[in-house]
Every structure is written in C-alpha cells, then in structure tokens.
Amino acid sequence: SHRLGGSTEQVARYQLGEALSQASPYLLLLSATPHQGKTDAFRRLLSFLDQDAFPEDDTINQESVAPYVIRTEKRHTIDADGNPLFKPRRTQLVTVPWSDAHQDQRVLYDSVTEYVREGYNQARREKNTAVGFLMILFQRLVTSSVCAIRTALEKRLDVLELPTGQLNLFGEDVGEQWAHLDSQEQMEAVLGSRMKGLKNERAEVELLLSAARRCEAKGPDTKAQVLLDWIHRLQREENDPKLKVLVFTEFVPTQAMLAEFLGNRGFEVVCLNGSLDLDERQEVQRAFSDKAQVLISTDAGGEGLNLQFCHIVFNYDLPWNPMKIEQRIGRVDRIGQAHVVRAQNFALEDTVELRVREVLEE
C-alpha cells in the first residue's frame, strides 16, 4: 500500500487510495516499507485511515501514529506453532581492492571523479539542476562497471555533438520525480536529453571515453573477477556446484557485461530488467527456479519477486538508498526460505561508493 501515498495529492495513485478510504467501511493497509524516508508520503498514507489526525507533516511522530500502526518486525514473526517464519540473515560488506592488473581502471575512476567534481560545482554555480544530476549519475556509473561508464560517455558525446538547448527534464518538481525513477531510468532520461555542455566538456568526455575503451579492451573489471571468485567460494562452502545466485546491479550495461562474463565461464544466466513485460518476467523467474544458476537483475526486479529457492544475494553495485538494498535482499529473505540468507554488498575501496555505504551503516 505504500505506493498509494504518491508524490503529491494530485497523482492518480493517491486519488485511488483516497476514494477507497472514503468508500470503505473498513480499511487495512499492508506494507513492509510504509515510510521510506518521506514523511509527506507517509502522512498521505495515514490520512486514508484518519483524515483529521495528521493535518501537517510535523504532526507525524512515534506517539501520534501508534494507534494506527501495527508493526511486527520480520525476525519476530512466528507460525501457529511458535516457530520463526524467517531464517537468519548474514550480510557482509565486501571491499573490492584495486589489483595491480586493474590500475588503468583505478586511473579511470579518479579521472571521472575529477570530471564529476568540477562539473557538479559548475552546475551548482549556474543553478543547472539537470547537469548536477548527470554528474552524480556518472559517479555511480563508474563504480558499477567500465562498460556502464563507457556506454554513458558515448551517449553524452553524441548529445554534445548535436545542436543543444537547455531542457527542463521534469518540470518544476524535479527532485521528487528524479527520486521515483530507478537508476536505469535516470540514465535514460538524463542522457537522452539535449542539455547544453559544460565548459570544455566535449574534450573532457572524449579523453574519458578513450580511457574507458582502453580499460575494457584489457579484460574484465576487477569487481567482476571478485564476483566470480566469491561464487566459486560459496559453491565450495555450501558443497553445491549448482548453487543459485541472485546478482543485483543498477544499470543494464553492467547487467549485459556480467551476463556475458559469467556465461563465458560456464554459468547459465538469465536477466531481468525494466524492459520486460509481465509474461517475460515470469518466464525469467521460471527459468531461474529450473536450470539457470544466476539471475542478474536491475532494481526493476527489486520488488514483487518471490525467490525463496535461492538464498545467495550479491549487491554488485549499491544504490544510495538503504531501503532499496533491503527490498533487494527481501526477494530471497521470505516465508518458505529453507536456508540462512547470505548477502554480500560489494564496494570498491577508496571510492565514493564505499563512503556512502559507510554513512548508511553508521
């Protein structure tokens, strides 16, 4: 039901919830993530239960919502016989080192980070929100994979070679609408727009693109090799050469790279992303439950999938939102899971990604 809160009271989802609340003599709202860090959306959700109790966001606090919320933490739930419904969960932060063989990739990361720093600061001075979002996106892409940043740089260069016009991507409520897109949708939206370039940006992008292509030509990413090592390690630990593994990434280019990388090394791989319709998604799920060993999913698969037959999750790259990580692991940490759930969160050492993860954990 958390979707019904919507981004504003004008959106159709909220209006549907409001109509149901007014028409129904009884109303039960079910959600594992009712708040999601946004007090205004949570207040709109509570307004379906009592229109008068929460007139403003500042009326939301633990005491005021207590009469309306029945909260049962996952680990405390039991069946009719008193047995826990969920298996234990083990999560681990895997700091991926830059190996000697991947120093070119490290230089690429540093170069993109410098480009992002300068571009973001320039965008802030010019109050250019869209370019600011683009810079943050590049920072996330470069820690995802060389393939992802190379693809994005190619698209950015194509746009810079066209006649430009500064476009307002989302209208007035840019931050809210941006937050509701998953990472792949953000990439498509911002890289598909003909926003004007920064000072000397075209030459900078050409240099970065050349470096990315050199890195890609030298072989697999350092994170991809560590992922392969971890899969083999867990196969040995669990004594299961057919161990099923769920891998999450934020971007389709990284997904395609990993599918090829693991496929070439003997794994049967299936992929799920936002381009698939409902029937195709269900077919991917059936294939994963049957013969496929690895499912690689973008955050389009972060909700709505029941994968209790798998208990190993790799967060190959990390969304800068802890709720999304929880939703990912929740695909396997479900009622009916027979094993201890193991989740490995990857982050490259000495990167912004690792720093964000440390902040989230603190």
Side-chain angles (χ1 to χ4, degrees):
S1 66
H2 56 268
R3 294 289 189 187
L4 294 176
S7 56
T8 70
E9 293 184 0
Q10 279 68 54
V11 299
R13 286 179 301 188
Y14 172 81
Q15 292 173 356
L16 171 64
E18 186 177 44
L20 287 171
S21 70
Q22 292 173 357
S24 305
Y26 305 102
L27 185 65
L28 173 64
L29 302 175
L30 299 175
S31 171
T33 51
H35 193 287
Q36 304 188 93
K38 296 183 175 67
T39 300
D40 59 330
F42 184 57
R43 179 183 59 78
R44 287 191 290 274
L45 203 60
L46 289 172
S47 72
F48 299 148
L49 304 175
D50 189 329
Q51 286 187 309
D52 302 320
F54 307 101
E56 303 292 339
D57 288 354
D58 59 12
T59 59
I60 299 290
N61 57 60
Q62 195 166 359
E63 291 73 28
S64 65
V65 304
Y68 301 90
V69 177
I70 301 169
R71 181 169 185 255
T72 305
E73 292 188 29
K74 200 170 189 175
R75 299 299 154 204
H76 297 161
T77 56
I78 55 176
D79 63 17
D81 298 320
N83 301 310
L85 278 173
F86 293 90
K87 292 293 182 181
R89 178 196 294 188
R90 289 166 51 191
T91 60
Q92 182 174 356
L93 180 61
V94 178
T95 303
V96 178
W98 298 100
S99 68
D100 292 341
H102 292 91
Q103 287 309 301
D104 283 358
Q105 191 182 343
R106 174 63 187 269
V107 171
L108 174 66
Y109 169 82
D110 291 338
S111 300
V112 171
T113 300
E114 186 58 29
Y115 160 70
V116 166
R117 183 181 294 111
E118 292 179 3
Y120 184 78
N121 289 334
Q122 184 178 334
R124 286 190 65 183
R125 289 193 299 271
E126 297 175 359
K127 294 182 170 56
N128 190 334
T129 307
V131 172
F133 282 137
L134 174 65
M135 293 299 112
I136 293 172
L137 187 63
F138 274 137
Q139 188 69 65
R140 288 157 56 198
L141 283 157
V142 75
T143 53
S144 179
S145 69
V146 174
C147 179
I149 190 64
R150 188 261 302 159
T151 302
L153 289 167
E154 287 175 343
K155 291 182 178 180
R156 181 60 177 154
L157 188 59
D158 287 343
V159 169
L160 291 173
E161 291 174 346
L162 296 171
T164 58
Q166 181 59 49
L167 301 181
N168 191 337
L169 289 176
F170 306 105
E172 293 182 7
D173 195 13
V174 58
E176 182 68 28
Q177 294 190 53
W178 177 261
H180 275 80
L181 300 177
D182 67 31
S183 299
Q184 181 64 29
E185 291 169 335
Q186 290 176 353
M187 179 173 140
E188 291 167 0
V190 77
L191 289 172
S193 66
R194 288 165 58 182
M195 67 179 75
K196 68 182 181 182
L198 301 165
K199 184 179 179 182
N200 301 323
E201 187 182 2
R202 181 173 171 177
E204 184 73 18
V205 170
E206 287 175 339
L207 285 171
L208 292 173
L209 181 54
S210 177
R213 286 169 173 164
R214 286 196 306 273
C215 283
E216 213 169 9
K218 287 192 172 182
D221 291 10
T222 185
K223 270 206 297 187
Q225 188 59 54
V226 171
L227 174 64
L228 179 64
D229 294 343
W230 263 90
I231 292 174
H232 287 150
R233 170 180 168 180
L234 293 178
Q235 286 175 333
R236 291 191 300 270
E237 287 183 10
E238 308 245 345
N239 194 27
D240 183 3
K242 298 294 185 181
L243 185 69
K244 292 189 182 292
V245 173
L246 174 59
V247 181
F248 274 104
T249 176
E250 293 201 278
F251 303 105
V252 169
T254 302
Q255 180 186 53
M257 177 275 293
L258 286 174
E260 181 180 4
F261 174 77
L262 293 174
N264 289 340
R265 286 153 181 81
F267 292 92
E268 188 164 342
V269 180
V270 289
C271 294
L272 192 154
N273 58 54
S275 70
L276 305 185
D277 63 27
L278 183 58
D279 289 341
E280 290 169 326
R281 289 166 65 96
Q282 290 175 340
E283 180 56 38
V284 166
Q285 186 169 338
R286 281 194 294 270
F288 186 42
S289 66
D290 188 14
K291 292 183 178 179
Q293 283 180 263
V294 181
L295 169 59
I296 307 173
S297 178
T298 65
D299 282 320
E303 292 189 66
L305 283 180
N306 298 312
L307 304 173
Q308 301 93 315
F309 53 84
C310 168
H311 65 283
I312 305 294
V313 179
F314 288 97
N315 288 306
Y316 187 80
D317 45 28
L318 296 173
W320 293 5
N321 179 339
M323 191 58 68
K324 286 188 176 181
I325 300 173
E326 178 61 33
Q327 286 171 342
R328 289 174 171 189
I329 300 172
R331 299 311 93 215
V332 303
D333 189 7
R334 308 182 75 74
I335 295 172
Q337 174 60 256
H339 300 88
V340 172
V341 171
R342 302 181 65 175
Q344 283 69 229
N345 299 324
F346 278 23
L348 284 163
E349 69 176 1
D350 299 327
T351 61
V352 173
E353 180 181 49
L354 183 59
R355 177 62 187 141
V356 168
R357 183 65 202 154
E358 288 171 346
V359 171
L360 292 179
E361 289 183 343
E362 288 169 10

